[in-house]
């Protein structure tokens, strides 16, 4: 029991609940901590009861729809909770409605061994060391700092060691005025970061040309700053170029909790439309290759999610997945990439709608195709619909679509909308030639789950 | 100085029968640019003294430095012909002034795309062949190309001076050499004879062959000599020309012509030798010996007068001036061009079928056919020419019908334009129409059809080529895209030293890809910008242009050459592989096999090659395709009907064949399986390179009975996995690109060439000694991967006498097993995977294949 109390910071949690006088509290557990959920809830209830906070209703939530790192506000609102206590690793994305309290859990850490290996590391390479860590080790960081300082003193090391900091452990909805932390300068670094949860994470900054300014990063609840490095995220650059060529874009909704997600989705839609492309909004939980391949007409997907899950390895996917930031780069004409990189879409949210230059001077040059390409313009279509000949023109277009090479539409991204794509498919469902006009009699269908219908299980049992 | 004005030029543009659009084509170093100088000089743009030295059409510094032409250059020339010289011309003409739009093209194989671009906008070609080196590989290529475009050729046997000065050949020897050159040209052309174009075979007695010495600025056709002798023999010119070539002998003693050499009489000589070759030889040797007394006598007889100051010259200079005065190159060539090359009015009648994509009876085709200046506008832009300072480009092309004027609004149809759609289509205004008069450009108000033209103001909408029509001509089809004889196979990555200069690089690459008809600037999955060129020289020039001209000298980092490989299979799959869909409810059974059966004749083109050549493809009639596959490649006729798709990019050299019988819902998943096939054939299992020559067979399918559980999401990734598994079980191999290297060297150093070639992994294809010359012709196959220092090594080993011409020829299977540790192909794969940022080792079969 004590173990649970300490590991899950039960007393601190109880204090938090009591201090704000919440009566309905949701406890959100990630899968790996689920087995302790009952014990934690019990301990918390006991603690609350002991401190005069009886009558607080606790609910355990599990199997989060998107990612257990985000606060599941939708789930919590089902039970009308006033606050969410989030256990385990968190991405610290701001919530939109509910306040949240984060408990990272505590994992044991051998600070001495850790400090020694840090020293080892700095001896081998003359580079700066940045210490990143899983949030479950946050409790041990002060100890580690002391150990390292001690070791360096005795070994007269001069190499600088930097530590990431934990942002905060309490979060209020972002609409509230008192934001507990300042995130004005939140450029986030991406793929060079490695968070190792097996002990200590060392991030060796691979760039040594220290320039005057420093860049501040925050990711996964950690925040740190390093000198600017000019390394290009090359693969991302390729994706941006590829997205520029896409005609149909799927917007994947990867979160229902992060503050401003609705806004950014709207903004994406607007941006895509302004670029003369077609967008479809899809909600599918955590994307995987099978789910995305159900929408083969989309040539690129924009994944709107919390910063920590934003980067997906889209190598195995039929179409690349990009972040909203990359989408902004790709779909805004004449915008050049300056090397900065934003994962958190809240930095992208603009209150005003982006201005569209109505007529561009030059055709767009595609580096994927190696020549000029022009995006089909949706503005033209809208104008046409005003005229009285609209129907005739639409029919004319429908006719011209039929002349197209279906292969090009299906496999080379020649479609302008999902309708084009579906029309090009070789299989168009059952033909209308039924034998008799009389409908068949009603039959009992199959029952059970698709993984094994009832009659199927019996068959395999035989 | 310049003998004509822009107004005169503009005036003659309207006389469509008096226009000749021609390109000068040849093998590298056979003297195209030098010969062009003579024509330019005759028009007064440069002086006769320097003709042959300035290489007027080599406008770039590096062209002058390297002594080769890199870009094709257009020049419009205006000539007044005399009545006398046009007396024999039977074709239509309007007055005596002629306009010749000439394009000088590069001869190096790396720049043959420039030749293609030049040929498209001309109607005739002056083929230049070195009289000693004869017909070389690039001569063949350009001849083939020109006939493919229905371009009428005339021949000039160049570097005659070498016969007299260098080799000191006697008349009969020289005659044999020339005859051989002419015959070779005709042999090369004969397979490409075209009914509509008419016979293109060249013959000196018809006046379609000239003999020239570009460097010295003189040339003659048999008609030049025939004219001199007409009076003496009292026959007409045509008859005389016949006598001056072939088996016609003249005995000076008996004054009789005969058809066979009378060996008994020492005075009996071939007509050509007696009346053409010998007089020239005598004049030249007299000049070289400085025997001026004799020379003045001879010149008197020939009615050649020299200027007083020229009489003071000696040796070669004297010879040059005398020959120029006696047999000016421009006269002979002009006559040949005017007489034997077609005017646009003539040429467009038969070229329209080759040019126009749309129906041949619509108003646009009709206007092209009639070369109608009042018809609808049709302009083909074949290349973009950088303007010297502004960073802008001229769109250079040919008006096929109508008239393009400054201020015209034109529809620009790019290469991806599809009639009836708005893709790749712009409407823009022509800001200025320009014609080229030597080094300077002259603005003109408009340019009527049949002429070449450069336009300002369109460069931001044309990448490389385009068709221009009237703004309102919405039903016009574009002019067919050019077909290049070479493809960009050598690639290098570029990056800027300073990352902040990326926009500069992007802009530079944009401009680069405009400035060259074939260079391809793309971006790799690794995010690197890659430039692809035809050969090393091509790439070198492109990189130089990029840095110096298009990026203002910004520092760039150029990566090592990237070679594209292909993945293939060599046997049938060892067993039928099966993959399950992510939900485990669908199973796909597949096998892979090579497209070609192993017992096929190696001389025969492979199926993959046939697909490359577009003899079979996705748009074929199924019966036709079946016929080709069953008759030429021994496929089962039914099998040929079951081809589902070609890939990658729906037309690549791999196939997907359905072998299932009686599978339910199969038609429903077809598109998904094919999508997986397109994906897999684009990124093979070994190193994510394109596949080539692989046939995937779908053997059996088990599907879930609910359509929702067999949707694209389940099938696409599964079919890809099954194909990878099939590939891995069918002895996968890598294919590497091979060059065909053509080297012409003196026989004395041929041995050194062999050594260098073998050390670089080359294999001899054929060798031939050029009869009557000390030259040997060697042809090797050389792996592209090992060709990069080949030229340098070869030069070192032959003290600069060997100059290879490399052109991509075919893909060759690397025989070693890529899974064997330390094998060549294994190393190559490891390198590629590292470059692409993939896992070090090839994903094992177990990842793709599922157990029941």
């Amino acid at each position: 029991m004590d173990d649970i109390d300490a590991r899950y910071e039960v007393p601190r949690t109880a204090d938090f609940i009591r201090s704000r006088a919440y009566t309905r509290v949701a406890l959100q557990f990630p899968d790996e901590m689920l087995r302790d959920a009952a014990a934690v809830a019990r301990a918390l209830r006991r603690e609350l009861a002991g401190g005069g906070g009886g009558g607080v209703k606790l609910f355990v939530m599990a199997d989060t729809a998107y990612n257990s790192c985000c606060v599941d506000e939708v789930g919590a609102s089902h039970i009308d909770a006033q606050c969410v206590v989030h256990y385990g690793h968190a991405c610290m994305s701001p919530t939109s409605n509910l306040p949240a309290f984060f408990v990272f859990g505590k994992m044991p850490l051998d600070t001495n061994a850790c400090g020694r290996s840090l020293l080892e590391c700095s001896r081998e390479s003359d580079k700066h060391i940045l210490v990143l860590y899983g949030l479950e080790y946050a409790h041990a960081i002060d100890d580690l700092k002391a150990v390292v300082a001690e070791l360096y003193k005795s070994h007269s090391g001069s190499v600088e060691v930097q530590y990431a900091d934990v942002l905060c452990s309490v979060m209020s909805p972002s609409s509230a005025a008192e934001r507990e932390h300042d995130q004005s300068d939140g450029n986030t670094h991406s793929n060079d970061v490695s968070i190792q949860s097996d002990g200590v994470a060392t991030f060796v900054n691979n760039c040594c040309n220290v320039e005057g300014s420093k860049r501040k990063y925050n990711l996964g609840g950690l925040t740190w700053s390093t000198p600017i490095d000019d390394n290009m995220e090359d693969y991302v650059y390729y994706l941006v170029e590829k997205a520029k060529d896409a005609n149909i874009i799927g917007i994947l909704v990867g979160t229902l909790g992060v503050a401003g997600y609705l806004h950014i989705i709207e903004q994406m839609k607007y941006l895509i439309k302004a670029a003369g492309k077609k967008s479809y909004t899809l909600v599918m939980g955590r994307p995987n290759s099978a789910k995305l391949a159900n929408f083969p007409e989309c040539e690129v997907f924009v994944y709107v999610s919390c910063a920590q899950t934003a980067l997906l390895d889209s190598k195995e996917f039929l179409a690349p997945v990009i972040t909203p930031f990359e989408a902004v780069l790709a779909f805004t004409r004449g915008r050049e990439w300056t090397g900065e990189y934003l994962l958190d879409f809240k930095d992208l949210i603009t209150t005003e709608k982006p201005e569209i230059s109505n007529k561009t001077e030059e055709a767009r040059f595609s580096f994927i195709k190696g020549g000029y390409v022009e995006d089909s313009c949706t503005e033209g279509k809208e104008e046409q619909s005003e005229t009285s000949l609209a129907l005739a023109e639409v029919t004319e277009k429908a006719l011209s679509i039929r002349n197209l090479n279906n292969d090009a539409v299906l496999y080379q991204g020649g479609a302008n909308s999902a309708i084009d794509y579906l029309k090009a498919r070789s299989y168009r469902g059952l033909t209308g030639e039924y034998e008799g006009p009389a409908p068949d009699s009603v039959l009992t269908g199959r029952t059970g789950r698709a993984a094994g219908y009832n009659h199927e299980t019996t068959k395999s049992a035989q | 100085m310049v003998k004509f004005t822009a107004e005169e030029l503009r005036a003659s543009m309207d006389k469509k029968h008096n226009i000749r659009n021609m390109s000068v084509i040849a093998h590298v170093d056979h003297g195209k640019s030098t010969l062009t100088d003579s024509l330019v000089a005759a028009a007064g743009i440069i002086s006769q003294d320097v003709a042959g030295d300035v290489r007027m059409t080599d406008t770039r510094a590096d062209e002058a430095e390297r002594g080769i032409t890199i870009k094709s250059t257009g020049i419009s020339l205006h000539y007044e012909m005399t009545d006398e010289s046009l007396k024999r011309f039977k074709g239509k003409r309007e007055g005596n002034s002629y306009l010749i739009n000439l394009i000088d093209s590069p001869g190096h194989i790396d720049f043959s795309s420039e030749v293609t671009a030049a040929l498209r906008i001309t109607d005739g070609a002056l083929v230049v062949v070195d009289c000693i080196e004869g017909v070389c590989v690039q001569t063949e290529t350009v001849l083939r190309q020109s006939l493919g475009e229905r371009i009428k050729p005339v021949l000039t046997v160049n570097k005659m001076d070498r016969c007299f000065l260098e080799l000191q050949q006697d008349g009969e020897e020289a005659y044999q050499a020339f005859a051989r050159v002419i015959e070779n040209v005709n042999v090369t052309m004969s397979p490409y004879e075209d009914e509509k174009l008419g016979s293109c075979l060249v013959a000196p007695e018809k006046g379609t062959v000239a003999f020239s010495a570009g460097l010295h600025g003189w040339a003659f056709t048999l008609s030049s000599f025939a004219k001199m002798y007409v009076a003496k023999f009292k026959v007409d010119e045509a008859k005389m020309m016949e006598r001056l070539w072939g088996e016609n002998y003249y005995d000076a003693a008996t004054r009789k012509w005969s058809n066979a050499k009378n060996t008994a009489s020492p005075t009996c000589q071939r007509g050509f030798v007696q009346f053409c070759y010998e007089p020239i030889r005598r004049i030249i040797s007299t000049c070289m010996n400085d025997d001026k007394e004799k020379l003045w006598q001879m010149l008197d007889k020939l009615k050649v007068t020299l200027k007083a100051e020229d009489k003071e010259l000696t040796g070669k200079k004297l010879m040059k001036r005398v020959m120029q005065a006696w047999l000016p190159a421009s006269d002979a060539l002009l006559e040949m061009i005017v007489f034997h090359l077609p005017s646009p009015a003539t040429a467009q009648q038969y070229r329209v079928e080759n040019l126009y994509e749309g129906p041949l009876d619509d108003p646009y085709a009709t206007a092209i056919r009639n070369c109608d200046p009042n018809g609808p506008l049709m302009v083909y832009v074949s290349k973009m020419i950088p303007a010297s300072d502004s960073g802008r480009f001229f769109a250079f092309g040919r008006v096929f019908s109508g008239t393009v004027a400054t201020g015209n609004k034109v529809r620009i149809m790019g290469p991806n334009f599809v009639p009836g759609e708005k893709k790749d289509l712009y409407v823009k205004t022509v800001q200025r129409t320009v014609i080229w008069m030597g080094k300077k450009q002259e603005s003109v108000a408009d340019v009527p059809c049949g002429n070449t033209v450069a336009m300002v103001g369109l460069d931001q909408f044309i990448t490389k080529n385009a068709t221009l029509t009237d703004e309102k001509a919405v039903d016009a089809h574009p002019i067919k895209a050019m077909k290049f004889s070479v493809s960009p196979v050598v690639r290098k990555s570029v990056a800027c030293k300073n990352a902040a200069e990326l926009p500069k690089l992007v802009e530079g690459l944009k401009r680069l890809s405009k400035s060259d008809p074939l260079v391809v600037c793309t971006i790799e999955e690794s995010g690197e910008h890659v430039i692809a060129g035809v050969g090393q020289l091509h790439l070198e020039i492109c990189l130089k242009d990029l840095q110096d001209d298009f990026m203002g000298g910004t520092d760039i980092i150029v990566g090592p050459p990237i070679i594209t490989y292909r993945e293939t299979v060599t046997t049938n799959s060892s067993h039928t592989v099966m993959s399950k869909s992510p939900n485990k409810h669908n199973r796909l059974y597949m096998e892979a096999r090579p497209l070609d059966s192993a017992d096929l004749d190696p001389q025969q083109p492979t199926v993959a090659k046939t697909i490359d050549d577009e003899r079979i493809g996705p748009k074929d009639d199924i019966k036709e395709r079946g016929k080709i596959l069953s008759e030429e490649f021994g496929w089962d006729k039914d099998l040929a009907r079951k081809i589902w798709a070609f890939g990658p990019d729906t037309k690549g050299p791999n196939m997907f064949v359905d072998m299932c019988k009686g599978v339910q819902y199969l038609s429903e998943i077809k598109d998904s399986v094919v999508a997986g096939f397109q994906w897999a054939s684009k990124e093979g299992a070994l190193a994510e390179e394109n596949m080539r020559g692989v046939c995937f067979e779908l053997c059996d399918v088990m599907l879930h009975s609910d359509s929702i559980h067999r949707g694209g999401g389940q099938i696409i990734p599964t079919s890809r996995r099954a194909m990878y598994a099939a590939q891995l079980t069918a002895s996968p191999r890598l294919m590497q690109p091979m060059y065909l290297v053509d080297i012409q060297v003196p026989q004395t150093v041929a041995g050194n060439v062999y050594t260098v070639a073998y050390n670089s992994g080359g294999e001899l294809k054929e060798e031939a000694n050029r009869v009557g010359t000390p030259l040997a012709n060697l042809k090797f196959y050389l792996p592209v991967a090992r060709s990069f220092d080949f030229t340098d090594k070869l030069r070192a080993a032959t003290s600069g006498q060997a100059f290879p011409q490399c052109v991509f020829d075919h893909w060759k299977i690397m025989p070693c097993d890529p899974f064997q540790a330390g094998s060549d192909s294994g190393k190559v794969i490891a390198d590629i995977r590292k470059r692409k940022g993939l896992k070090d080792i090839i994903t094992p079969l177990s990842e793709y294949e599922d157990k029941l």
Side-chain angles (χ1 to χ4, degrees), chain A residues 142-320:
Chain A
D142 284 336
D143 291 348
L144 183 66
K145 275 183 190 167
V147 170
V148 171
E150 198 65 30
L151 278 170
Y152 271 84
K153 231 180 263 169
S154 54
H155 288 87
S156 65
S158 62
V159 179
E160 194 186 335
V161 181
Q162 283 176 310
Y163 299 89
D165 292 321
V166 176
L167 274 178
C168 61
S169 61
V170 181
M171 190 174 288
S172 306
S174 54
S175 54
E178 1 89 70
R179 294 274 289 268
E180 295 186 24
H181 49 277
D182 177 27
Q183 289 177 323
S184 58
D185 183 21
N187 296 338
T188 309
H189 195 269
S190 66
N191 49 5
D192 282 348
V193 180
S194 59
I195 294 181
Q196 302 166 359
S197 48
D198 52 53
V200 71
T202 55
F203 170 65
V204 180
N205 186 6
N206 54 7
C207 179
C208 298
N209 56 338
V210 180
E211 288 173 40
S213 60
K214 290 201 163 190
R215 187 171 283 179
K216 203 172 156 197
Y217 300 98
N218 60 63
L219 179 67
L222 298 177
T223 175
W224 69 92
S225 56
T226 59
I228 287 173
D229 78 38
D230 284 330
N231 275 4
M232 287 279 276
E233 282 79 9
D234 287 332
Y235 181 63
V236 167
Y237 184 52
Y238 169 78
L239 291 185
V240 169
E241 285 295 321
K242 197 146 189 192
K244 284 181 184 172
D245 276 4
N247 280 329
I248 306 179
I249 293 121
I251 301 174
L252 297 180
V253 182
T255 174
L256 290 177
V258 180
Y261 77 96
L262 280 175
H263 192 126
I264 198 81
I265 291 170
E266 280 310 309
Q267 196 177 320
M268 284 297 128
K269 278 187 189 164
Y270 185 78
L271 195 65
I272 290 165
K273 196 174 168 198
K277 298 163 195 294
K278 187 98 184 150
S279 72
Y280 295 94
T281 312
L282 311 166
V283 183
M284 58 169 63
R286 181 115 182 115
N288 63 29
S289 114
K291 284 182 196 168
L292 290 189
N294 276 326
F295 302 93
E297 59 269 34
C298 295
E299 288 157 81
V300 71
F301 293 98
V302 182
Y303 187 40
V304 177
S305 73
C306 72
Q308 197 153 77
T309 47
L311 289 170
L312 286 175
D313 180 17
S314 50
K315 191 82 205 132
E316 285 298 304
F317 297 167
L318 187 59

Side-chain angles (χ1 to χ4, degrees), chain A residues 4 8 27 29-30 33-43 60-62:
Chain A
I4 292 279
Y8 290 95
L27 310 180
F29 285 89
M33 288 182 178
L34 204 56
R35 59 197 150 89
D36 293 335
V40 173
R42 239 187 340 266
V60 172
M61 297 197 299

Side-chain angles (χ1 to χ4, degrees), chain B residues 381-527:
Chain B
V381 174
S382 77
K383 65 173 281 173
M384 305 294 284
I385 302 173
S388 43
D389 42 354
S390 54
R392 300 292 296 268
F393 288 80
F394 293 103
F396 188 66
R398 153 94 173 253
V399 189
F400 283 103
S401 81
T403 302
V404 61
T406 302
N408 264 11
K409 267 204 157 181
V410 292
R411 263 164 73 91
I412 306 173
M413 299 186 268
N416 299 320
F417 171 76
V418 182
E421 279 189 66
K422 284 191 168 178
K423 218 173 181 180
D424 217 1
L425 179 74
Y426 315 91
V427 176
K428 287 290 158 248
T429 308
V430 179
Q431 288 172 359
R432 223 145 48 84
T433 44
V434 174
I435 46 174
W436 243 259
M437 281 173 63
K439 286 197 172 153
K440 66 176 190 231
Q441 298 108 38
E442 288 282 346
S443 288
V444 288
D446 56 359
V447 175
C449 63
N451 286 285
T452 51
V453 62
M455 286 157 289
V456 179
L458 307 176
D459 56 339
Q460 287 181 312
F461 301 90
I462 304 176
T463 320
K464 291 177 195 293
N465 44 56
T467 307
L468 312 182
T469 61
D470 287 326
E471 184 191 3
K472 302 231 162 57
V474 283
D475 53 343
H477 289 247
I479 286 173
K480 278 181 193 158
M482 295 186 282
K483 227 177 162 184
F484 294 105
S485 60
V486 286
S487 49
V489 284
V490 185
R491 305 187 301 151
K492 278 184 180 175
S493 70
V494 283
C496 351
K497 261 209 176 109
N498 183 352
E501 286 178 314
L502 180 71
K504 247 189 187 171
L505 178 68
V506 169
E507 189 56 36
L509 288 170
K510 237 188 249 182
R511 288 199 202 153
L512 174 67
S513 63
K514 237 182 256 188
S515 73
D516 187 289
L518 208 54
V519 75
V520 182
C521 301
T522 48
I523 178 168
E524 285 278 290
E525 218 155 300
S526 53

Side-chain angles (χ1 to χ4, degrees), chain A residues 230 232 234-238 241-242 247 289-296 315-319 336-337 359-374 376-377 380-381 384 397 400 404-405 407-408 410-414 416 421 424-427 446 450-453 456, chain B residues 416 418-426 428 459-464 498-499 502-503 505-507 509-510 513-514 520-529 582 585 618-619 649-651 667-668 670-672 674-675 678-679 683 688 704-706 708-709 711-714 716-717 720 838:
Chain A
D230 284 330
M232 287 279 276
D234 287 332
Y235 181 63
V236 167
Y237 184 52
Y238 169 78
E241 285 295 321
K242 197 146 189 192
N247 280 329
S289 114
K291 284 182 196 168
L292 290 189
N294 276 326
F295 302 93
K315 191 82 205 132
E316 285 298 304
F317 297 167
L318 187 59
E336 302 274 2
W337 193 16
K359 263 297 167 218
T360 38
E361 269 298 293
E362 194 176 348
R364 191 172 64 73
F365 191 90
S366 157
F367 275 103
I368 303 289
K369 297 204 174 83
Y372 280 122
V373 292
E374 194 39 70
S376 49
C377 215
K381 283 178 196 161
Q384 281 174 1
K397 264 200 188 135
S400 71
L404 267 182
N405 178 10
D407 279 353
L410 285 178
Y411 312 117
Q412 290 174 311
N416 286 323
Y421 185 88
R425 287 201 309 194
S426 65
Y427 179 74
R446 282 170 296 203
Y453 288 114
E456 281 176 348
Chain B
N416 299 320
V418 182
E421 279 189 66
K422 284 191 168 178
K423 218 173 181 180
D424 217 1
L425 179 74
Y426 315 91
K428 287 290 158 248
D459 56 339
Q460 287 181 312
F461 301 90
I462 304 176
T463 320
K464 291 177 195 293
N498 183 352
L502 180 71
L505 178 68
V506 169
E507 189 56 36
L509 288 170
K510 237 188 249 182
S513 63
K514 237 182 256 188
V520 182
C521 301
T522 48
I523 178 168
E524 285 278 290
E525 218 155 300
S526 53
E528 292 170 308
H529 284 284
H585 289 297
K619 284 180 196 152
D649 294 325
T650 71
K651 50 182 190 291
S667 59
E668 211 173 313
K670 182 181 167 187
D671 289 337
S672 302
V674 172
Q678 300 295 350
W679 190 4
E683 300 176 351
E688 296 199 353
H704 194 276
S705 50
D706 274 6
I708 190 74
H709 298 298
Q714 298 298 331
I716 296 174
R720 172 171 174 254
L838 308 172

Side-chain angles (χ1 to χ4, degrees), chain B residues 85 88 222-231 237 240 335:
Chain B
S85 57
R88 251 173 10 94
L222 293 186
S223 90
S224 328
F225 278 96
K227 275 183 205 134
M228 296 179 206
Y229 297 113
V230 164
E237 208 179 309
M240 192 63 213
E335 191 193 283

